[in-house]
Amino acid sequence: MKLRTTHWLGLASALLLFAAGVGLLQARTPEEPPAHGADPVPLAGGRALSADLVQAFNQEGGLGGFVRQALERPEAGGVFYATQVLRKCRSVLATTPGRAVAGSEPPRGAAPAAAETLRQRCAGLSEDDMADERIARHVATGLQRKDPLLAMAAHAGTATYQDPQRRKSLLFDMMAAGDPLLVQDVASRIAIQTDPRTGARGYRFDGAFYPESPDASVELAFYLLPCGLGLDCTRATDWDLLIRCANGFECAASREDYVAAALRGDREAYARVKALYERMLEAIRSGRANSFV
């Protein structure tokens, strides 16, 4: 069964790329270790500088207050987080089923509950907050204030990084940052590459090329990776799980449960995915970002 990455990445809308061509990152050869302190968001003792933001992002309830506070923390990637929330909420409010008509009995079941949880996540945000013009201003300000996660996300969408070496350099920086939202919404997308020898599309890790396969092993390992980096991957707050459930697809309790269901209970396939995921996670935690390029 092939996992279509658009299901779990497409709804997390791409950042507005108003920073195209702005040289906030300097490309380097990914095989070369970065100079001391050169990583945009270095892991400090295995802890990303955005860790406090991740913890707040994981909290249940409305994210209106989180957005306002995150916008004041560009040095930790706060503008990236805030603009991702705004765009996610705009997508959610436009696509999830509406509330029950006043006076009618509310619908029951997991899907309506998931839709309501999504709306609650977006509580405290107005249409003006989520407007393109407002997000554009936040992006421009965040780039001026050198939000490192926002800069990497912006560069990921520019034509400049279609060059394989530059894409590798950017992927190296993203994995070195160790931020779960950046890995989920941006890095997992640019990690897909074409093997120059076979022409197959897939992912590179630890010197091996993993082509996209019918059982989607490598895609599923990437799907789990943000969880190990700190993202809450349960249906209490996980946008992907909630969106799937609200729109009538799988209502898995966690990403691990979703992966098990996607593999139709094949224990060997599940063990392969988990082993690959754990190797990827250890590579990030141990500072081996070059394993992904």
Side-chain angles (χ1 to χ4, degrees):
M1 175 180 179
K2 183 169 179 63
L3 175 70
R4 291 182 298 169
T5 54
T6 52
H7 279 266
W8 52 276
L9 290 175
L11 289 173
S13 304
L15 279 171
L16 293 174
L17 301 175
F18 297 98
V22 178
L24 296 181
L25 290 178
Q26 293 189 2
R28 61 172 176 269
T29 303
E31 289 77 10
E32 296 175 356
H36 180 69
D39 286 313
V41 189
L43 290 172
R47 187 174 188 270
L49 294 183
S50 57
D52 292 340
L53 283 170
V54 176
Q55 185 176 9
F57 180 79
N58 284 339
Q59 298 300 308
E60 296 182 35
L63 288 170
F66 168 81
V67 167
R68 286 182 281 277
Q69 293 174 18
L71 287 170
E72 298 303 316
R73 298 192 59 199
E75 74 287 347
V79 181
F80 170 74
Y81 267 76
T83 53
Q84 287 294 81
V85 169
L86 293 173
R87 294 181 70 79
K88 288 175 189 291
C89 281
R90 186 173 64 181
S91 176
V92 160
L93 296 178
T95 59
T96 53
R99 293 176 179 273
V101 176
S104 66
E105 184 177 347
R108 297 179 180 179
E116 181 59 27
T117 298
L118 285 168
R119 284 188 289 270
Q120 291 173 359
R121 297 290 282 158
C122 300
L125 297 172
S126 67
E127 290 186 7
D128 286 343
D129 291 327
M130 295 177 281
D132 278 341
E133 297 81 1
R134 181 71 63 85
I135 296 174
R137 289 198 295 271
H138 291 322
V139 169
T141 300
L143 290 168
Q144 289 172 0
R145 298 177 67 185
K146 302 189 184 306
D147 181 311
L149 304 186
L150 188 64
M152 284 186 276
H155 278 289
T158 65
T160 302
Y161 281 99
Q162 298 306 310
D163 174 78
Q165 283 303 113
R166 289 179 178 250
R167 284 173 65 90
K168 287 181 180 181
S169 177
L170 180 59
L171 181 60
F172 178 96
D173 283 333
M174 289 183 177
M175 292 307 190
D179 177 79
L181 198 62
L182 188 70
V183 168
Q184 171 183 273
D185 289 358
V186 187
S188 55
R189 172 168 51 85
I190 70 165
I192 301 173
Q193 56 188 283
T194 300
D195 184 1
R197 294 178 298 174
T198 65
R201 286 175 59 78
Y203 303 78
R204 188 167 296 281
F205 179 68
D206 263 355
F209 184 79
Y210 293 82
E212 294 178 318
S213 57
D215 67 1
S217 296
V218 67
E219 295 100 315
L220 290 170
F222 258 101
Y223 183 56
L224 292 175
L225 192 52
C227 311
L229 294 173
L231 194 71
D232 176 17
C233 293
T234 70
R235 209 167 70 226
T237 64
D238 188 295
W239 293 83
D240 178 72
L241 295 174
L242 288 165
I243 289 170
R244 286 179 187 278
C245 185
N247 285 285
F249 299 103
E250 306 89 349
C251 285
S254 69
R255 290 199 186 188
E256 289 203 358
D257 288 347
Y258 172 80
V259 169
L263 295 173
R264 300 180 184 276
D266 185 332
R267 293 185 179 181
E268 291 185 2
Y270 182 79
R272 288 195 300 271
V273 170
K274 284 283 289 182
L276 183 56
Y277 151 71
E278 288 169 0
R279 286 172 55 205
M280 289 179 172
L281 183 59
E282 177 57 26
I284 293 175
R285 287 176 170 170
S286 63
R288 294 186 293 109
N290 59 342
S291 297
F292 294 88
V293 299

